[in-house]
Amino acid sequence: MKQYVMGLDNGGTSTKAALFDLKGNQISVFSASTPIETPKSGYTERDMDLLWENNLLCMKKTVEIANINPADIIGVSVCGHGKGLYAWGMYDRPAYKGIVSTDTRAWEYTEKWYNNGVFEQVYERICQQLMPCQQAALLAWLKDHNRDVYDNIRWVFSVKDYIRFRLTGEAYCEATDISGSGLLNVRDRVFDRELLECYGIVEVYDKLAPLKYSYDLCGKLTDEVAVKTGLLEGTPVAGGMFDIDACAIAMDITKPEQLCTIAGTWSINEFIAEEPVLYGPVAMNSLFAMPGYYLLEECSATSAGNLEWCMENLIDFNGMQKGESRYDFLSRQVESVLPEECDVYFLPFLYSSNAHPLGKGSLVGLTTYHKNAHIIRAIYEGVVYSHKTHIDKLLKVRDKPDVVRMAGGVVNSPVWVQMFADILGLPIETIKAKELGALGCAMAATVAAGRFADYVEAARHMVHVEKKVMPDMEKHEIYLKKYKKYTAVKEALDIAWPLFTV
């Protein structure tokens, strides 16, 4: 009898459910979008009930498309975007809108904590920088700006912990997500009342659910979920993980010498280590999906999500050929201009910045000579330069890897993957599976179900490299010169950003 596992991936805008067999073959997938609401500048929210209904829809459709017996599904798991806040209320309803990881409303709180000494008090326990989109800052903001919501919170959840709670009725905080929230004592792997007192949100201590790990059994599908999805009541549900951990697991990042980059809405760049790296260039240390390891992460919402906005609001698609997709058109435009022919620079800061906290998306260097193709190439390059900014910080605390494994929407563009290889000066490997987040959390379900002993064994069976792209080192030298200009532009604008609002 063939067996299957389901992974649910809740990103910043869309939900995907995918079924895999135990060899890592993707059997079926279905996705649905939950619109982002921006009631004010810097706010990014979405309806938690609609998000839940979309998860149920994706599960149901994925099983229908696969046309398999639901009894053959041995487990389900969930991953999702990190940071943000999905609060569950005292009256068995969402306490507020779901707050997404691109939200910057609480930026003044992190700035205050850096300036008044709070960061120095908490750093050795949280092992990471403070960010406006973390739960610690968002909860402090709610306490001051919407006290009724704050007092009504029963459980503080990440997006995937919220979805898993609704699948099973059991509340838990899974380690990979909660260790990036600013709320967990990462050093000691415990919740810490004194830590919360430093932020002025000690009331949150009683709103934190018990701690679990990614492949722990965290309940079973309820009868209500079974009726709405077609899966069987009692199907085991694993803890799941932060989507960047899920992608790392799905790329077989199980050894410290490996390094991966994920290019989606966020620029995620990471490797694992047995100890956190403190007082250095690396911003984030969190607990990895493999117990005993830390995930060392450099990240910001400065990646390929910028292209989606530019496609809708900036790029001219006149000149598309018959039968050509918009993405093929973009690739053709990028290839029509050599890197040395484009002296335009794009700062991919439409959602947030990895420089000044108030940095904004910008095109610099435009003249009447430049055309649509130059702008498109600048956007592609700017995203890669942002990744390089983060990867260079990681390489200050570790050796250069032999190869970088890559995930995210960018892997669907061979031109962009080649640009990553050329700019980084390193080979890039991509993985055969397309829905890596769903695959990673599906692998957690196999371990929770006892089918594989751990992620190393699961990866031997379920992870397969599809392609290796080698860098063009002549172009690498050209890009290094351009990267210096990009960095100079970015640093020069720091003096102007305080004049802008959030």
Side-chain angles (χ1 to χ4, degrees):
M1 180 182 70
K2 203 163 187 180
Q3 295 180 320
Y4 305 91
V5 279
M6 178 180 286
L8 282 167
D9 184 354
N10 283 271
T13 57
S14 67
T15 295
K16 297 177 183 178
L19 270 173
F20 301 89
D21 65 20
L22 300 192
K23 293 182 179 180
N25 297 309
Q26 184 173 299
I27 307 303
S28 61
V29 63
F30 190 86
S31 65
S33 295
T34 305
I36 296 291
E37 302 170 13
T38 54
K40 295 182 181 179
S41 178
Y43 289 48
T44 51
E45 304 173 347
R46 53 186 179 169
D47 186 300
M48 288 176 62
D49 284 325
L50 178 58
L51 175 64
W52 167 237
E53 293 298 326
N54 280 337
N55 274 264
L56 295 174
L57 173 65
C58 290
M59 295 171 74
K60 178 181 175 65
K61 291 295 186 181
T62 301
V63 175
E64 290 177 353
I65 293 167
N67 193 28
I68 63 169
N69 185 345
D72 295 335
I73 299 174
I74 63 171
V76 175
S77 188
V78 190
C79 71
H81 73 77
K83 319 300 188 290
L85 175 65
Y86 292 74
W88 189 253
M90 297 289 187
Y91 302 103
D92 209 28
R93 295 283 306 128
Y96 193 67
K97 296 280 190 179
I99 301 178
V100 187
S101 58
T102 50
D103 196 282
T104 57
R105 75 184 72 186
W107 71 274
E108 290 179 301
Y109 287 80
T110 53
E111 289 293 289
K112 177 180 69 175
W113 292 336
Y114 278 113
N115 293 330
N116 67 7
V118 166
F119 174 68
E120 285 79 3
Q121 288 179 267
V122 303
Y123 178 63
E124 288 191 354
R125 281 177 284 180
I126 65 172
C127 302
Q128 59 199 242
Q129 301 292 313
L130 292 167
M131 302 173 69
C133 58
Q134 287 172 309
Q135 291 172 352
L138 291 168
L139 288 162
W141 184 92
L142 280 174
K143 182 175 181 179
D144 289 345
H145 293 85
N146 201 330
R147 187 59 188 255
D148 288 344
V149 168
Y150 181 82
D151 289 340
N152 181 43
I153 294 173
R154 176 66 189 96
W155 298 118
V156 169
F157 285 139
S158 66
V159 63
K160 72 101 172 54
D161 289 341
Y162 160 65
I163 295 300
R164 192 188 59 248
F165 168 71
R166 297 203 71 169
L167 290 172
T168 65
E170 298 184 25
Y172 298 107
C173 284
E174 187 274 328
T176 61
D177 264 320
I178 200 65
S179 64
S181 68
L183 300 176
L184 184 75
N185 181 328
V186 174
R187 179 192 63 196
D188 301 329
R189 298 177 172 86
V190 296
F191 293 121
D192 184 335
R193 188 183 296 271
E194 184 179 312
L195 182 63
L196 302 179
E197 288 175 347
C198 292
Y199 303 131
I201 54 171
V202 69
E203 302 86 1
V204 169
Y205 186 83
D206 295 323
K207 306 173 190 293
L208 297 170
L211 189 66
K212 290 282 189 177
Y213 286 86
S214 61
Y215 51 59
D216 284 343
L217 180 63
C218 290
K220 298 180 179 181
L221 294 184
T222 65
D223 175 64
E224 177 188 0
V225 171
V227 168
K228 292 183 177 180
T229 64
L231 278 76
L232 297 190
E233 179 184 2
T235 302
V237 180
M241 62 194 96
F242 186 3
D243 59 8
I244 67 172
D245 289 71
C247 287
I249 291 295
M251 289 187 277
D252 191 17
I253 302 299
T254 53
K255 302 179 183 65
E257 58 265 28
Q258 299 166 313
L259 187 147
C260 69
T261 188
I262 304 165
T265 300
W266 278 67
S267 164
I268 306 291
N269 312 275
E270 58 193 19
F271 67 96
I272 66 174
E274 293 179 352
E275 297 291 338
V277 175
L278 303 180
Y279 300 107
V282 178
M284 301 294 289
N285 297 269
S286 58
L287 300 179
F288 187 48
M290 293 170 55
Y293 286 94
Y294 291 87
L295 184 69
L296 279 68
E297 170 198 352
E298 269 289 319
C299 65
S300 58
T302 59
S303 191
N306 283 265
L307 178 64
E308 301 303 316
W309 184 91
C310 291
M311 287 169 66
E312 297 302 321
N313 299 282
L314 180 63
I315 293 171
D316 181 1
F317 282 94
N318 286 324
M320 282 183 61
Q321 298 173 357
K322 185 176 180 180
E324 186 177 43
S325 74
R326 297 210 299 173
Y327 292 100
D328 288 340
F329 170 80
L330 294 173
S331 294
R332 183 163 59 84
Q333 295 301 301
V334 171
E335 290 183 303
S336 72
V337 179
L338 295 173
E340 59 268 32
E341 295 174 345
C342 184
D343 210 22
V344 178
Y345 297 88
F346 174 66
L347 301 186
F349 300 163
L350 292 172
Y351 297 100
S352 72
S353 167
N354 58 6
H356 193 283
L358 291 177
K360 302 290 187 289
S362 312
L363 276 166
V364 177
L366 286 171
T367 70
T368 55
Y369 165 75
H370 296 112
K371 303 295 187 289
N372 193 41
H374 296 90
I375 293 172
I376 296 168
R377 171 170 272 281
I379 293 166
Y380 274 54
E381 289 183 5
V383 167
V384 188
Y385 294 148
S386 179
H387 278 263
K388 178 173 169 57
T389 299
H390 289 304
I391 290 172
D392 284 352
K393 290 181 180 180
L394 296 179
L395 294 182
K396 289 180 180 179
V397 299
R398 56 156 292 156
D399 294 334
K400 185 178 287 191
D402 294 330
V403 66
V404 174
R405 289 203 167 169
M406 187 172 185
V410 165
V411 301
N412 296 313
S413 168
V415 168
W416 219 345
V417 173
Q418 184 66 59
M419 187 182 288
F420 266 83
D422 295 344
I423 290 176
L424 297 178
L426 289 166
I428 300 289
E429 286 183 343
T430 59
I431 304 301
K432 187 175 181 180
K434 298 304 179 187
E435 302 299 339
L436 287 187
L439 174 60
C441 60
M443 290 165 68
T446 68
V447 179
R451 187 60 179 79
F452 297 123
D454 53 27
Y455 290 127
V456 174
E457 183 183 0
R460 278 203 305 271
H461 291 84
M462 300 180 73
V463 179
H464 311 285
V465 173
E466 180 177 47
K467 166 185 315 187
K468 186 173 186 177
V469 177
M470 301 303 294
D472 181 329
M473 296 311 289
E474 289 185 8
K475 286 186 178 178
H476 177 63
E477 293 303 318
I478 294 169
Y479 281 125
L480 285 182
K481 293 176 183 177
K482 296 187 70 175
Y483 179 66
K484 288 182 180 178
K485 287 188 181 180
Y486 167 88
T487 302
V489 167
K490 179 179 65 175
E491 293 175 349
L493 284 172
D494 279 354
I495 195 171
W497 297 131
L499 304 175
F500 289 72
T501 63
V502 67

